[in-house]
Amino acid sequence: MIYMDYNATTPTDERVLEEMLPYFSQEYGNPSSIYSLAQRARNAVEQARERVAKLLNADPREIIFTSGGTEADNFALKGVAYANQDKGKHIITSQIEHHAVLNACKFLEKQGFPVTYLPVDRWGVVDIEALEKSITPQTILISIMLANNEVGTIQPIKIIAEIAKKHGVYFHTDAVQGVGKIPVDVNDLGVDLLSLSAHKFYGPKGVGALYVRRGVRILPFINGGEQEKGRRAGTENVPGIVGLGKAAELAQREMEEEEKRVKKLRDKLEQKLVQKIPEIIVNGHPQKRLFNTLSICVKYVEGESMLMNLDKEGICASSGSACTSASLEPSHVLLAMGIPPEVAHGSLRFSLGKFNREADVEKVSEVLPPIVEELRRVSPFWEG
Ligand SMILES: *Cc1c(COP(=O)(O)O)cnc(C)c1O
């Protein structure tokens, strides 16, 4: 099998799993209890908090553990919206956000919070002028993702943060695709809130975190006990949190090497596919793009048909995002970038990672062209 869908999820690193295992069995204490069994679990949670904070150059007290990226996004948007509605109710986001942000915004719209969805250019970069123009005295929050999960485009987060700061508006970034892959420093970026998820960087599924800068007004997201200083109640997912911490530590140490290695493979795959398949488009920004992501549109072919044929060859990729693969709607990200719907239907995303090797690139670039050729042969739109 060849796995090239690392933006959907990653396998848990063996070293991460090893560190998690004792916390399912021997070290099962509830971190809120007082005996030493429980205090060892508490210490493990706090060590993980330090590791995550270190990866982000944050203070450990600014890290709140969640059940993943989706919860962190919902927490940031709803928590800030409800806590600051005395000041105003306007929220600004972009048209290319992950559904965790988009659907939380849609929910808030129904609750009486007006939301502006900013357009992007053909590379998927948010229109900065439109952003600045859309800020009103009622604006309380801007939420723009750091790197897009489908096409990999990286946003000018520092510039957006400066604009937000100038207008006294909070700035949240969904950094789920950035954290663990590329350096993310909350102070250098100047963000107020930031979401991350363990399973996107070789940690376990179902655990993530929200960074909240000290002093930011945010409502607790889940009410209950005093866990996470009362802001996110519920007995901690100790093994998951330990796994997130270990994944953060490994990422910090290994990401630079990994970027060099994987970027070479991605670039080679891109070059080969562009060379071998006529009439394809490479999506996303040519330079400001995640080093592991290759999104293409193959004209006159359905993305789903290519995926099924690739699967027969043991190759895992995706079309659009994992969330839209199940529906037949073209990707909202590609449409926002101005790609015509009939072209967007032919989208294919390869996202590479730790276990890809040169031979995988060779195999995919040998297998895909004949698949495309065959599908085009039977396509009513293709005229050769
Ligand atoms: C995967 C992803 C999420 C959701 O994270 P989960 O931990 O799967 O809930 C949010 N935003 C982006 C950009 C993602 O890629």
Side-chain angles (χ1 to χ4, degrees), residues 273-308:
L273 294 183
V274 167
Q275 214 170 52
K276 290 183 170 186
I277 306 172
E279 299 225 44
I280 73 169
I281 302 169
V282 176
N283 302 311
H285 197 281
Q287 289 91 36
K288 289 170 215 144
R289 180 159 54 117
L290 289 175
F291 62 83
N292 77 321
T293 306
L294 173 61
S295 163
I296 57 174
C297 284
V298 181
K299 288 188 189 170
Y300 317 109
V301 183
E302 291 284 330
E304 278 69 24
S305 316
M306 289 186 282
L307 286 183
M308 281 187 276

Side-chain angles (χ1 to χ4, degrees), residues 16-301:
V16 169
L17 179 63
E18 201 177 309
E19 207 153 310
M20 291 171 68
L21 282 175
Y23 295 93
F24 287 104
S25 45
Q26 304 98 288
E27 302 292 343
Y28 55 83
N30 183 324
S32 298
S33 301
I34 59 166
Y35 35 81
S36 39
L37 171 76
Q39 286 312 300
R40 288 201 297 275
R42 161 63 49 210
N43 292 342
V45 167
E46 295 316 315
Q47 187 196 34
R49 201 185 307 280
E50 278 165 28
R51 284 171 163 177
V52 172
K54 194 158 169 244
L55 180 65
L56 303 177
N57 189 27
D59 187 295
R61 288 167 296 186
E62 297 172 311
I63 304 299
I64 306 174
F65 291 119
T66 67
S67 69
T70 300
E71 185 186 318
D73 286 342
N74 274 264
F75 189 172
L77 288 154
K78 295 172 189 173
V80 167
Y82 287 119
N84 296 279
Q85 52 183 328
D86 55 332
K87 182 179 170 254
K89 290 191 149 195
H90 180 227
I91 296 165
I92 299 171
T93 187
S94 84
Q95 292 172 4
I96 62 157
E97 298 298 312
H98 189 274
H99 282 112
V101 166
L102 285 180
N103 287 338
C105 284
K106 279 192 195 145
F107 170 84
L108 285 166
E109 269 186 301
K110 289 200 189 117
Q111 306 295 311
F113 292 87
V115 179
T116 301
Y117 299 90
L118 294 172
V120 296
D121 66 15
R122 57 195 282 240
W123 310 122
V125 179
V126 165
D127 185 336
I128 294 295
E129 240 175 73
L131 167 75
E132 197 145 23
K133 274 191 202 140
S134 67
I135 298 173
T136 76
Q138 264 64 54
T139 309
I140 48 173
L141 176 65
I142 298 171
S143 179
I144 303 287
M145 73 199 318
L146 189 142
N148 184 270
N149 44 305
E150 290 186 33
V151 299
T153 296
I154 297 169
Q155 302 296 333
I157 294 298
K158 267 172 103 157
I159 295 172
I160 299 169
E162 274 166 28
I163 294 170
K165 193 167 182 188
K166 194 171 79 185
H167 290 87
V169 175
Y170 286 137
F171 178 37
H172 164 253
T173 189
D174 172 348
V176 171
Q177 287 295 343
V179 171
K181 286 196 186 89
I182 57 176
V184 173
D185 177 329
V186 289
N187 293 313
D188 179 51
L189 292 175
V191 298
D192 298 306
L193 304 109
L194 179 146
S195 305
L196 62 93
S197 175
H199 77 99
K200 299 294 173 75
F201 61 103
Y202 310 99
K205 294 169 183 62
V207 61
L210 181 66
Y211 157 81
V212 182
R213 186 177 292 282
R214 277 180 88 173
V216 168
R217 273 167 64 185
I218 186 164
L219 238 51
F221 191 57
I222 292 183
N223 308 111
E226 278 304 304
Q227 293 92 352
E228 303 297 283
K229 301 206 182 74
R231 292 189 288 187
R232 201 287 185 181
T235 302
E236 295 87 343
N237 170 7
V238 179
I241 290 169
V242 166
L244 167 58
K246 184 65 181 177
E249 189 214 35
L250 292 175
Q252 187 153 33
R253 236 186 304 138
E254 297 172 2
M255 71 166 81
E256 209 179 307
E257 281 298 302
E258 190 63 3
E259 165 156 6
K260 271 189 233 152
R261 193 184 69 83
V262 173
K263 186 177 187 306
K264 257 188 220 154
L265 296 178
R266 192 279 312 267
D267 288 348
K268 190 159 185 190
L269 181 64
E270 175 173 332
Q271 192 195 337
K272 283 192 174 253
L273 294 183
V274 167
Q275 214 170 52
K276 290 183 170 186
I277 306 172
E279 299 225 44
I280 73 169
I281 302 169
V282 176
N283 302 311
H285 197 281
Q287 289 91 36
K288 289 170 215 144
R289 180 159 54 117
L290 289 175
F291 62 83
N292 77 321
T293 306
L294 173 61
S295 163
I296 57 174
C297 284
V298 181
K299 288 188 189 170
Y300 317 109
V301 183

